[in-house]
């Protein structure tokens, strides 16, 4: 018997890519896709990198495919938006070596700013989409995706969701295929997408999609499980598991390929069952197509477009069985918060003290919007803080942004923020940008980037110097570097630069408190003799400091990272290490 | 065997992922099919986190549904209360008697509920432990979650030696001995 291993969906995708003989993998970290790259790097004979953003990663993978090897690119669904420009066009170009894009959707928005459905993007780009239901399938489908990519001359999207990506299941391990290395052939008509060539390629895209739809019934990943004919369900991905639990007797058409749909297979299945349901999380992508073919079926009339599904939900919606469940207790919510010792807390506390508004961005520091700090007032997408601030200034005038700053993390700045800063410089903005440089990509679990001096493969490399990039590169004269915990200097700089009618950059540095290389300092303790219980130390909202019912304030020694922000606020010298 | 449903709940950063790795390891060792579902990303920053573990002959869905948990392992009192309704009527709650205030409580916008464990004891079989105090006795506060796991192990059908072997293969090499001690301590308390 072959070896079986418990693997996350993401680990299984990495394994599948390796077994398929992938040679190049590129990605930008994003929950729930990050662990794919973190696992591929463990295998021999694969070049893998963190690219600065998803568009770059996509283009790296395209180049590798053009050069004749199998390549993988992975990202969360909002990253697909960033990569959609090359995606829409590589759909016309096709591939040499197989090209697979993993798009990780997040129904329920565990770690995302919207709940978009990548299948809609894939339909618009006319790219096939495969959707596995567990870790074993995640591995198999990844391999199938590479074969399919080469067979149909198309990039293939492997769509996952958080529940698949972050669930573990048993996976059978197999050996690596001999990686292909197709000799490069000059083919300007196919690889240079200018109008005349693209016009010639578009019919090939249409024909390819039709062919895949026709062949769909033969794909091993599309299968019909005939059981009782009273209820038939068309489903895919994780919802398949809920269908099996809730409706064990029902017949199921399990789609592995959700775009293009195997039309004839669906028509035949619909004829065999009395009542047909479509069970898919998020948008009615399958349902609307099936209905457009004149097939009677039920879907979003009884099922939501919001969040994740569950077995109990399907039992209620389809069978009308309402399990008599205990009512959940009414308890205070526990939202995520900045960690004890987080340098962002120091920056936000300073901004709050000065009454300054912050245009925000994507990362741990988005938590600056949460009480008690609540200084971050906008967040749209990666890199948006700087351009949002710029737009505000152009709408309302220079005076209006004198009490505003943009805040952006180091990794996010290199992702797409730098473009926005060029725009501020070029179009004569006068705003202040704070780069919150914690030497890592924090939220996704500490990935390196171009300014950390280390690659995904562990190589020590020259780091991009953010100061030089802003000051010498773009030419922003008012560029400064300050320690995040030097609140005096930070306060002085913020006051000085927000008042200045010119664009400025303040790089606020201190490593993430959770970085392994960052040895925590000794914990602080509160001297009960000196403590006047004024609560000043609690103002920055550090979770390590709590007040008991009797008013006693104490610091949890196992949580405190010794940053000293609280101690600096105590007028009575009650906090000591 | 019918599928068994275990849940681990706590506060992001409390080490729920390590505990679920050990649980995953023991179910495989026993030859079961298993699925685990975890929370990564933003919620891991001090938010409420939950891990589902399901094992049996054949497991379909990776999550435990409300009213279906055989064992609920809670690393914090408020989180025990938040997820208690996932327990079966005859399910077992193993709770670490620790209080971590969520931000709404810290800033005075909400009150931390009182008598959580006493109230839960009226409905469910509850095993409580001040695991932090027990871990400090062993000299390493970080092992508190393995102590709680040791207690819960009494309510799962795996051999003690197998647990210890899985711990040995799962935790960082330097911490094998202390974690085994912590498990033994919890196992004794769970009797």
């Amino acid at each position: 018997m072959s070896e079986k291993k418990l693997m996350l969906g993401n680990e299984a995708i990495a394994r599948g890519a390796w077994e398929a003989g992938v040679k190049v993998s590129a990605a930008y970290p994003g929950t729930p896709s990050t662990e794919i790259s973190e696992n591929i790097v463990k295998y021999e004979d694969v070049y893998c990198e963190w690219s600065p953003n998803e568009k770059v990663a996509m283009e790296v993978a395209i180049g590798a495919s053009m050069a004749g090897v199998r390549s993988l690119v992975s990202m969360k669904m909002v990253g697909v938006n960033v990569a959609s420009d090359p995606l829409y066009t590589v759909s016309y170009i096709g591939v040499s070596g197989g090209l697979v894009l993993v798009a990780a959707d997040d129904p329920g928005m565990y770690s995302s700013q919207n709940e978009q459905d990548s299948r809609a993007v894939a339909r618009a780009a006319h790219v096939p989409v495969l959707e596995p239901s567990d870790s074993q399938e995640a591995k198999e489908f990844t391999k199938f995706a590479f074969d399919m990519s080469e067979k149909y001359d198309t990039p293939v999207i492997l769509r996952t969701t958080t529940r698949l990506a972050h669930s573990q299941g048993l996976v059978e391990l197999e050996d690596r295929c001999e990686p292909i290395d197709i000799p490069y052939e000059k083919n300007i008509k196919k690889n240079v997408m200018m109008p005349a060539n693209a016009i010639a390629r578009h019919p090939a895209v249409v024909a390819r999609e039709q062919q895949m739809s026709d062949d769909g019934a033969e794909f091993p990943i599309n299968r019909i499980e005939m059981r009782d004919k009273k209820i038939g369900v068309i489903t895919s991905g994780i919802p398949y598991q809920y269908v099996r639990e809730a409706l064990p007797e029902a017949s199921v058409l399990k789609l592995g390929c959700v775009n293009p749909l195997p039309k004839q297979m669906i028509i035949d299945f619909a004829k065999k069952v009395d009542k047909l349901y479509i069970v898919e999380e998020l948008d009615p992508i399958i349902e609307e197509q099936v209905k457009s073919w004149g097939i009677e079926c039920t879907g979003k009339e009884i099922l939501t477009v919001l969040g994740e599904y569950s077995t109990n939900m399907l039992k209620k919606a389809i069978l009308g069985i309402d399990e008599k469940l205990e009512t959940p207790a009414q308890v205070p919510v526990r939202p995520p918060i900045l960690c004890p010792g987080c340098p962002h807390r120091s920056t936000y506390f300073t901004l709050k003290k000065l009454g300054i508004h912050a245009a925000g961005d994507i990362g741990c520091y988005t938590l600056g919007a949460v009480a008690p700090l609540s200084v971050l007032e906008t967040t749209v997408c990666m890199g948006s803080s700087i351009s949002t601030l710029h737009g505000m200034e152009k709408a309302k005038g220079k005076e209006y942004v004198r009490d505003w700053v943009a805040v952006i993390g180091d990794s996010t700045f290199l992702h797409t923020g730098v473009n926005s800063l060029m725009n501020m410089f070029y179009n004569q903005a006068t705003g202040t940008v704070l780069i919150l440089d914690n030497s890592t990509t924090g939220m996704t679990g500490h990935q390196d980037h171009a300014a950390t001096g280390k690659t995904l493969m562990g190589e020590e490399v020259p780091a991009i110097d953010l100061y030089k990039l802003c000051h010498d590169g773009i030419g922003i004269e008012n560029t400064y570097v300050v320690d995040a915990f030097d609140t005096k200097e930070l306060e002085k700089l913020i006051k000085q630069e927000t008042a200045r009618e010119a664009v400025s950059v303040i790089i606020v540095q201190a490593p993430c408190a959770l970085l392994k290389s960052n040895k925590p300092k000794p914990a602080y303790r509160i001297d009960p003799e000196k403590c006047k219980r004024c609560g000043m130390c609690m103002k920055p909202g550090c979770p390590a400091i709590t007040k008991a019912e009797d008013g006693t304030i104490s610091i949890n020694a196992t949580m405190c990272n010794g940053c000293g922000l609280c101690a600096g606020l105590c007028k009575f010298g009650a906090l000591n290490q | 065997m019918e599928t068994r449903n275990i849940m681990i709940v706590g506060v992001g950063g409390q080490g729920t992922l390590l505990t679920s790795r050990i649980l995953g390891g023991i179910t495989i060792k026993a030859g079961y099919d298993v699925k685990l579902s975890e929370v990564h990303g933003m919620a891991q920053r001090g938010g409420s986190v939950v891990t589902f573990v399901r094992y049996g002959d054949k497991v379909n869905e990776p999550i435990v549904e409300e009213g279906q948990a055989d064992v609920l392992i809670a690393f914090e009192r408020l989180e025990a209360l938040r997820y208690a309704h996932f327990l079966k009527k005859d399910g077992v709650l193993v709770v670490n008697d620790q209080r971590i205030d969520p931000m709404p409580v810290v800033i005075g916008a909400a009150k931390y509920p009182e008598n959580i464990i006493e109230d839960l004891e009226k409905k469910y079989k509850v095993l409580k432990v001040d695991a932090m105090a027990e871990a400090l006795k062993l000299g390493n506060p970080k092992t508190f979650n393995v102590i709680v796991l040791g207690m819960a192990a009494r309510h799962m059908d795996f051999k003690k030696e197998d647990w210890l072997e899985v711990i040995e293969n799962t935790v960082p090499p330097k911490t094998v001995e202390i974690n085994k001690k912590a498990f033994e301590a919890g196992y004794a308390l769970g009797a």
Side-chain angles (χ1 to χ4, degrees):
Chain A
M1 204 181 85
S2 62
E3 193 194 340
K4 276 192 177 182
K5 204 180 159 213
L6 193 58
M7 285 183 158
L8 280 175
N10 282 342
E11 263 180 287
I13 291 167
R15 177 75 194 192
W18 179 77
E19 287 181 6
V22 78
K23 288 292 283 183
V24 172
S25 159
Y28 182 78
T31 314
S33 71
T34 313
E35 300 83 3
I36 299 170
S37 295
E38 290 180 325
N39 280 287
I40 282 196
V41 71
K42 295 175 187 167
Y43 294 104
E44 297 281 313
D45 194 32
V46 183
Y47 168 80
C48 47
E49 69 171 38
W50 292 128
S51 309
N53 65 43
E54 294 85 356
K55 177 180 183 288
V56 174
M58 182 83 220
E59 290 153 356
V60 169
I62 291 170
S65 163
M66 281 178 171
V69 304
R70 288 185 161 185
S71 64
L72 182 81
V73 54
S74 45
M75 58 194 67
K76 70 182 295 172
M77 79 295 185
V78 284
V80 178
N81 305 336
V82 179
S84 65
D85 195 359
L87 173 67
Y88 277 70
T89 301
V90 75
S91 171
Y92 280 39
I93 292 172
V95 306
S96 174
L99 172 60
V100 175
L101 160 64
V102 183
D105 285 4
D106 189 15
M109 291 182 273
Y110 288 88
S111 208
S112 303
Q113 67 268 40
N114 73 38
E115 205 169 17
Q116 71 188 60
D117 192 324
S118 291
R119 296 175 303 167
V121 180
R123 284 199 77 201
H126 301 285
V127 171
V129 181
L130 309 187
E131 192 174 23
S133 300
D134 59 23
S135 295
Q136 175 66 32
E137 283 191 357
K139 195 200 81 167
E140 285 168 13
F141 284 25
T142 304
K143 293 168 84 169
F144 186 78
F146 280 105
D147 293 342
M148 194 176 174
S149 172
E150 285 155 12
K151 181 175 176 192
Y152 292 99
D153 193 9
T154 178
V156 175
I157 291 179
L158 184 83
R159 184 217 187 201
T160 70
T161 57
T162 303
R163 196 55 70 186
L164 175 89
H166 290 162
S167 285
Q168 300 185 35
L170 289 169
V171 177
E172 246 174 77
L173 306 185
E174 294 167 284
D175 294 333
R176 178 163 161 93
C177 308
E178 186 55 40
I180 56 163
D181 190 354
I182 302 163
Y184 176 77
E185 250 179 75
K186 181 171 169 175
N187 190 345
I188 288 175
K189 284 204 159 115
K190 188 164 182 280
N191 292 338
V192 180
M193 281 302 99
M194 52 190 188
N197 294 345
I199 288 166
R201 285 296 300 167
H202 196 175
V205 174
V206 175
R208 173 183 80 200
E209 208 162 33
Q210 184 60 49
Q211 191 64 50
M212 287 187 289
S213 173
D214 293 346
D215 295 352
E218 306 304 320
F219 293 163
I221 59 173
N222 292 332
R223 68 165 189 263
I224 290 174
E225 301 170 3
M226 282 315 288
R227 284 178 280 265
D228 191 285
K229 291 179 180 168
K230 282 202 274 301
I231 293 179
V233 182
I234 300 175
T235 188
S236 70
I238 281 287
Y240 167 78
Q241 308 291 0
Y242 304 137
V243 169
R244 291 295 296 126
E245 296 269 353
L247 312 163
E249 302 305 324
S251 294
V252 175
L253 168 49
K254 183 188 182 300
L255 294 172
C257 180
V258 294
N259 187 59
L261 293 174
K263 188 173 173 182
Q264 196 53 49
M265 192 182 196
I266 289 172
I267 291 170
D268 295 344
F269 179 72
K271 279 183 195 154
K272 285 184 199 155
V273 297
D274 299 342
K275 179 125 177 79
L276 183 65
Y277 293 92
I278 314 276
V279 178
E280 55 187 324
E281 285 174 339
L282 302 181
D283 296 341
I285 306 270
I286 300 172
E287 182 185 334
E288 284 182 352
Q289 293 178 76
V290 172
K291 281 185 172 157
S292 77
W293 305 330
I295 296 172
E296 206 174 303
C297 60
T298 305
K300 298 299 177 189
E301 297 91 343
I302 58 166
L303 293 163
T304 177
V305 294
L306 311 175
E308 290 189 286
Y309 286 5
S310 70
T311 299
N312 284 344
M313 179 198 281
L314 295 187
K315 274 187 189 165
K316 191 173 175 183
I318 296 176
L319 301 175
I321 299 173
D322 200 355
E323 302 274 350
K324 289 219 164 46
L325 299 168
E326 289 274 338
T327 326
Q330 294 300 308
V331 297
V333 293
R334 190 187 297 277
I337 38 170
L338 296 174
C339 304
C342 175
H344 303 326
R345 178 174 288 106
S346 175
T347 308
Y348 284 139
F349 188 69
T350 306
L351 290 173
K352 191 180 169 89
K353 185 179 167 193
L354 297 174
I356 290 187
H357 312 261
D361 223 297
I362 304 279
C364 286
Y365 53 93
T366 314
L367 295 170
V370 179
L373 296 164
S374 313
V375 292
L376 187 137
E377 298 181 28
T378 71
T379 289
V380 185
C381 63
M382 292 288 288
S384 63
S385 56
I386 299 174
S387 11
T388 310
L389 178 68
H390 180 73
M392 283 181 175
E393 177 178 346
K394 295 303 173 188
K396 299 263 192 178
K398 287 178 189 172
E399 276 314 303
Y400 190 79
V401 294
R402 297 282 63 84
D403 58 354
W404 276 81
V405 295
V407 294
I408 186 165
D410 43 342
S411 187
T412 311
F413 177 69
L414 292 174
H415 178 280
T416 34
V418 65
N419 309 52
S420 306
L421 188 62
M422 290 180 212
N423 186 47
M424 274 183 97
F425 181 75
Y426 171 46
N427 285 307
Q428 298 292 293
T430 68
T432 303
V433 174
L434 267 55
I435 301 178
L436 309 182
D437 179 6
N438 64 354
S439 313
T440 190
T441 317
M443 177 62 78
T444 44
H446 302 132
Q447 290 73 31
D448 280 293
H449 57 68
T452 67
K454 207 170 165 196
T455 69
L456 173 59
M457 297 177 82
E459 227 179 323
E460 306 275 342
V461 292
I464 289 177
D465 183 325
L466 294 178
Y467 177 85
K468 282 187 188 161
L469 178 61
C470 299
H471 185 271
D472 307 352
I474 299 177
I476 297 169
E477 221 163 285
N478 310 302
T479 302
Y480 308 84
V481 177
V482 60
D483 181 337
F485 290 106
D486 184 351
T487 46
K488 227 172 128 187
E489 183 63 18
L490 181 62
E491 190 177 324
K492 193 191 104 190
L493 273 175
I494 293 171
K495 273 191 197 161
Q496 172 190 309
E497 293 311 310
T498 47
R500 188 194 299 278
E501 286 203 358
V503 60
S504 339
V505 174
I506 305 172
I507 303 166
V508 189
Q509 283 180 336
C512 170
L514 301 185
L515 269 181
K516 280 193 182 127
S517 55
N518 184 27
K519 290 253 155 35
K521 297 181 196 85
Y524 276 82
R525 293 168 45 156
I526 297 182
D527 182 344
E529 302 287 309
K530 290 185 184 165
C531 177
K532 305 276 186 240
R533 301 178 177 187
C534 68
M536 194 57 206
C537 58
M538 296 186 76
K539 295 264 186 225
C542 175
I545 311 179
T546 49
K547 195 174 196 169
E549 302 295 325
D550 67 355
T552 327
I553 299 170
S554 59
I555 296 178
N556 181 331
T558 59
M559 289 170 82
C560 176
N561 279 314
C563 76
L565 179 64
C566 55
L569 297 170
C570 183
K571 288 181 188 143
F572 312 104
L575 288 90
N576 297 292
Q577 266 167 320
Chain B
M1 190 191 80
E2 207 180 310
T3 302
R4 294 264 288 166
N5 298 316
I6 316 291
M7 283 173 69
I8 307 162
V9 302
V11 179
Q14 273 194 307
T16 49
L17 295 183
L18 172 72
T19 321
S20 70
R21 272 212 297 280
I22 298 171
L23 258 169
I26 191 91
T27 55
I28 297 174
K29 190 161 169 48
Y32 291 119
D33 186 24
V34 57
K35 281 188 181 158
L36 275 90
S37 195
E38 307 168 342
V39 175
H40 298 212
M42 194 180 238
Q44 276 293 335
R45 302 281 171 263
S48 165
V49 292
V50 52
T51 299
F52 304 107
V53 183
R54 306 189 73 221
Y55 63 95
D57 295 334
K58 166 84 180 120
V59 180
N60 291 312
E61 71 166 316
I63 61 171
V64 176
E65 304 263 337
E66 292 175 40
Q68 293 298 319
D70 295 288
V71 182
L72 172 62
I73 300 170
F75 288 143
E76 199 269 350
R77 286 207 301 263
L78 180 62
E79 296 312 307
L81 181 58
R82 190 188 311 282
Y83 291 101
H85 64 288
F86 276 78
L87 275 168
K88 281 181 180 164
K89 284 201 169 56
D90 58 349
V92 180
L93 167 66
V94 183
V95 55
N96 175 27
D97 194 3
Q98 189 188 352
R99 168 175 169 169
I100 301 176
D101 286 353
M103 202 39 71
V105 172
V106 172
I107 63 172
K111 280 199 80 170
Y112 194 97
E114 287 171 25
N115 308 321
I116 290 177
I117 293 181
E118 291 76 2
D119 288 347
L120 288 172
E121 276 171 340
K122 289 174 194 155
K123 277 191 193 166
Y124 305 102
K125 183 175 167 61
V126 177
L127 277 90
K128 66 170 176 178
V129 59
D130 184 347
M132 199 52 89
E134 296 294 329
L136 284 168
K137 279 188 212 163
L138 297 175
N140 187 341
K142 284 186 176 165
T143 60
F144 79 94
N145 41 29
V146 178
I147 294 175
V148 182
L149 181 65
M151 284 181 82
R154 287 278 189 177
H155 299 274
M156 287 176 255
D157 29 8
F158 305 109
K159 287 186 217 131
K160 193 170 99 178
E161 310 82 78
D162 289 349
W163 279 105
L164 293 171
E165 197 186 313
V166 170
I167 288 169
E168 194 167 324
N169 295 331
T170 311
V171 303
K174 276 188 200 162
T175 66
V176 166
E177 281 316 307
I178 186 78
N179 275 303
K180 280 164 89 170
K181 260 192 211 165
F183 183 85
E184 295 263 17
Y187 200 78
L189 288 166

